[in-house]
Amino acid sequence: MREIVGLLRDLVDSSGVQLKGLQQLLLAQHREGPRPPSYQVLSDRLRGRGLQNNASLIYAIIAVLAPPERKEGMTEEVRQHLVNARATLAAGSTQPSQEPTPDSPDPELLDVLRENRDLRSKVERIERRLARKEKRLQALRDELAAAERRAPAPSVGPARDEPTTVIPSFPDEGVAATRLADSDIAAATSSPSAAAAGTESSSGSSDVATVADALRGMPDFEATTANALRHAFDSVLDGRRTGRFDPATLGKSEKVYLGAKVTHELTAAWGFPPGQETTDLPIGRQQVVLKFTTGATWTITPGEVGRVCLLVSANDERSCWSLGLIRIGPGHLSGAANRDFKRTLSAAGRQAVTWLFHNAHLPENTLLHLPAPLREKIFATEVSRRGSQARVNNLFRLAQGRLLNRTTISTVAVTADGPKRVRTARETLRGDGILVLGGASRQATIARSLGLPVPRDGEWVSQRVTRRRPEHGDAPSIALSDEVWTLAGPDDPIEEAPSLAKLW
């Protein structure tokens, strides 16, 4: 099994993924199957303990970490090693045990031989790693030479890799979301500068326009994409287990997992078949590379130069997301590369992106956007001591007139039974004159009649009410339990709210 252990450790080292990150990747890749082993068990397996009886884990690690061109070869190599190891074990078990003889090898000599074998294995791993780096470096040299051959003389006109679709980069934070129409792309790609860029750039613009048309043709594309991004954030934060609601609290491996989760949620929302959770998507007869970031730029690998990339960004703090397309050219990348030869988009690259959505609305992370003093009161220590139900009651008491969804309730309660906590809070808060209205049709009618935000299924809104009196004038009101109720003001007395259970 030493060969398999060496292969797996080399694979983990070359990928740059930490053990926690590997565990999250295994969870994302096999979420429908058995859960991956714990951190300690995974560490033991990578040291060879119990690995021979866990072939499925070996193949899973190869599936999430190995480059596509090496997966099949590595899988076959591992299979052969497992067959040999089991054959050796079977042969050893059939031989009768023998007492050591005077001719037995010296134990110290055996230790030296084992140490030499381990050193030889390490040297071979380093040599393989250097060979891969040299191969990647040679590919970059070839790519640079090809780009230099294509570049025209300065007097002829703009460089061949000059962006042909010039759309302004991210607007200021206060600018509303902008969706580009087909005519905008057509006008940009038909400008004199685009025509002068040459046949290759025109082909790239055509490919981008084809992919853009295919995306716009998807039903409810904007709402579907926004909801998928929201679900990806909520899933990784996992508030019902951790109580977290701020992406800034995610660890390094969790941020890596967020990228994988976004890919899974988007591919599922866009109708790709199960099992195709990959960053290489067939859209509009093009193989499109999906890139995600929570920041302002994206990292590009050498193999993605010359390909159409679908750039997605999401900012939970600003409640916005953006989606654009670009065919990556050498002139679109920054000069400096990291140790994996990845580079970021340059200013020219960001200008060349064709944006389908700019700062489009991302469904709100309610707890993140509540005022900090209000959050502190909801999670106050003296409230938490009374349990999760007390925190939910406090949430409805302090965040009145605001839509609260199932994720928000479960995060405050740190439990999965959010609706049960809401039903208990509805009865408890009646004494304070507070109505808690849900997405049921008649409760939504009450919210609409009182001028409150109308909750949908899985949403709730709370508000203190009072019996209507002459001083309320023509304020919105509704008849409940043979009395007319309206929204309570600061000076209105506290009256027990009507019971929703007795209304229908």
Side-chain angles (χ1 to χ4, degrees), residues 76-90:
E76 178 59 27
E77 181 180 351
V78 166
R79 190 192 67 79
Q80 190 60 48
H81 283 316
L82 287 173
V83 170
N84 294 341
R86 288 163 184 163
T88 302
L89 182 62

Side-chain angles (χ1 to χ4, degrees), residues 414-431:
V414 196
T415 183
D417 61 348
K420 177 182 176 182
R421 305 289 179 178
V422 173
R423 291 191 295 271
T424 303
R426 177 179 289 141
E427 291 303 313
T428 302
L429 296 178
R430 278 186 57 221

Side-chain angles (χ1 to χ4, degrees), residues 172-454:
D172 294 335
E173 292 186 6
V175 179
T178 303
R179 182 173 181 172
L180 300 181
D182 294 342
S183 57
D184 298 327
I185 297 179
T189 56
S190 62
S191 63
S193 61
T199 305
E200 182 180 347
S201 295
S202 298
S203 174
S205 298
S206 175
D207 293 341
V208 167
T210 300
V211 175
D213 290 340
L215 291 174
R216 290 196 187 95
M218 294 182 182
D220 298 323
F221 180 69
E222 181 175 1
T224 299
T225 303
N227 290 332
L229 291 170
R230 175 75 272 150
H231 190 268
F233 274 105
D234 293 342
S235 178
V236 176
L237 287 167
D238 198 13
R240 67 193 182 106
R241 290 190 180 93
T242 66
R244 294 182 303 179
F245 53 85
D246 188 352
T249 61
L250 294 176
K252 184 177 179 181
S253 60
E254 290 175 310
K255 291 177 181 177
V256 173
Y257 176 50
L258 176 61
K261 187 65 177 175
V262 165
T263 299
H264 163 67
E265 293 293 340
L266 290 179
T267 52
W270 292 343
F272 289 97
Q276 196 168 326
E277 293 89 354
T278 173
T279 58
D280 203 355
L281 304 176
I283 304 176
R285 301 187 302 279
Q286 298 289 325
Q287 288 298 120
V288 181
V289 181
L290 175 61
K291 310 290 291 184
F292 173 76
T293 183
T294 56
T297 190
W298 297 261
T299 55
I300 308 298
T301 66
E304 292 164 351
V305 176
R307 301 189 60 187
V308 176
C309 288
L310 177 60
L311 307 180
V312 180
S313 69
N315 189 313
D316 210 9
E317 187 174 353
R318 291 171 50 202
S319 294
C320 66
W321 63 277
S322 299
L323 183 146
L325 291 161
I326 182 176
R327 180 178 285 280
I328 302 292
H332 297 150
L333 302 177
S334 61
N338 63 14
R339 64 180 183 179
D340 295 324
F341 301 98
K342 294 180 181 179
R343 293 188 286 172
T344 59
L345 281 183
S346 63
R350 289 191 293 271
Q351 289 289 331
V353 177
T354 298
W355 295 108
L356 275 67
F357 297 95
H358 252 168
N359 289 347
H361 176 67
L362 180 70
E364 184 185 57
N365 181 336
T366 306
L367 288 174
L368 183 62
H369 289 87
L370 285 177
L374 194 62
R375 281 202 307 266
E376 292 174 1
K377 291 181 180 179
I378 294 171
F379 293 98
T381 304
E382 58 271 17
V383 176
S384 296
R385 284 174 183 160
R386 300 199 298 270
S388 58
Q389 185 63 57
R391 288 196 300 272
V392 173
N393 296 348
N394 219 24
L395 173 66
F396 282 115
R397 185 181 290 112
L398 296 175
Q400 295 185 34
R402 193 161 191 155
L403 289 176
L404 304 173
N405 59 24
R406 190 187 303 266
T407 299
T408 303
I409 304 300
S410 298
T411 300
V412 171
V414 196
T415 183
D417 61 348
K420 177 182 176 182
R421 305 289 179 178
V422 173
R423 291 191 295 271
T424 303
R426 177 179 289 141
E427 291 303 313
T428 302
L429 296 178
R430 278 186 57 221
D432 296 335
I434 297 175
L435 278 180
V436 178
L437 303 170
S441 60
R442 294 180 178 177
Q443 295 183 35
T445 299
I446 297 175
R448 188 180 296 106
S449 299
L450 293 175
L452 296 172
V454 180

Side-chain angles (χ1 to χ4, degrees), residues 22-283:
L22 174 58
Q23 187 182 23
Q24 295 291 347
L25 289 173
L26 291 172
L27 178 62
Q29 183 77 5
H30 301 279
R31 67 187 192 288
E32 299 298 338
R35 292 180 62 85
S38 65
Y39 180 94
Q40 184 59 49
V41 173
L42 185 58
S43 176
D44 290 341
R45 296 296 181 267
L46 290 178
R47 290 187 176 92
R49 299 171 189 165
L51 189 60
Q52 183 170 339
N53 298 323
N54 206 337
S56 60
L57 176 62
I58 300 173
Y59 295 135
I61 294 175
I62 293 175
V64 298
L65 294 183
E69 64 274 9
R70 294 188 59 206
K71 284 184 181 179
E72 184 176 350
M74 293 180 71
T75 302
E76 178 59 27
E77 181 180 351
V78 166
R79 190 192 67 79
Q80 190 60 48
H81 283 316
L82 287 173
V83 170
N84 294 341
R86 288 163 184 163
T88 302
L89 182 62
S93 62
T94 60
Q95 296 178 359
S97 59
Q98 297 180 353
E99 293 295 329
T101 65
D103 296 332
S104 299
D106 185 0
E108 294 184 4
L109 178 59
L110 290 176
D111 290 340
V112 172
L113 291 175
R114 291 192 191 99
E115 184 177 353
N116 287 344
R117 184 174 58 186
D118 291 341
L119 289 175
R120 190 181 303 110
S121 177
K122 290 181 180 179
V123 170
E124 290 173 353
R125 288 202 301 271
I126 294 174
E127 289 176 345
R128 289 196 298 270
R129 194 178 307 167
L130 289 175
R132 288 196 300 271
K133 295 289 186 182
E134 182 61 32
K135 183 178 178 181
R136 190 179 302 177
L137 181 60
Q138 186 59 45
L140 286 175
R141 289 170 178 160
D142 295 342
E143 179 185 317
L144 179 60
E148 290 174 346
R149 287 195 298 270
R150 292 195 304 267
S155 60
V156 174
R160 181 65 64 101
D161 59 358
E162 181 177 325
T164 62
T165 304
V166 181
I167 304 296
S169 186
F170 284 93
D172 294 335
E173 292 186 6
V175 179
T178 303
R179 182 173 181 172
L180 300 181
D182 294 342
S183 57
D184 298 327
I185 297 179
T189 56
S190 62
S191 63
S193 61
T199 305
E200 182 180 347
S201 295
S202 298
S203 174
S205 298
S206 175
D207 293 341
V208 167
T210 300
V211 175
D213 290 340
L215 291 174
R216 290 196 187 95
M218 294 182 182
D220 298 323
F221 180 69
E222 181 175 1
T224 299
T225 303
N227 290 332
L229 291 170
R230 175 75 272 150
H231 190 268
F233 274 105
D234 293 342
S235 178
V236 176
L237 287 167
D238 198 13
R240 67 193 182 106
R241 290 190 180 93
T242 66
R244 294 182 303 179
F245 53 85
D246 188 352
T249 61
L250 294 176
K252 184 177 179 181
S253 60
E254 290 175 310
K255 291 177 181 177
V256 173
Y257 176 50
L258 176 61
K261 187 65 177 175
V262 165
T263 299
H264 163 67
E265 293 293 340
L266 290 179
T267 52
W270 292 343
F272 289 97
Q276 196 168 326
E277 293 89 354
T278 173
T279 58
D280 203 355
L281 304 176
I283 304 176

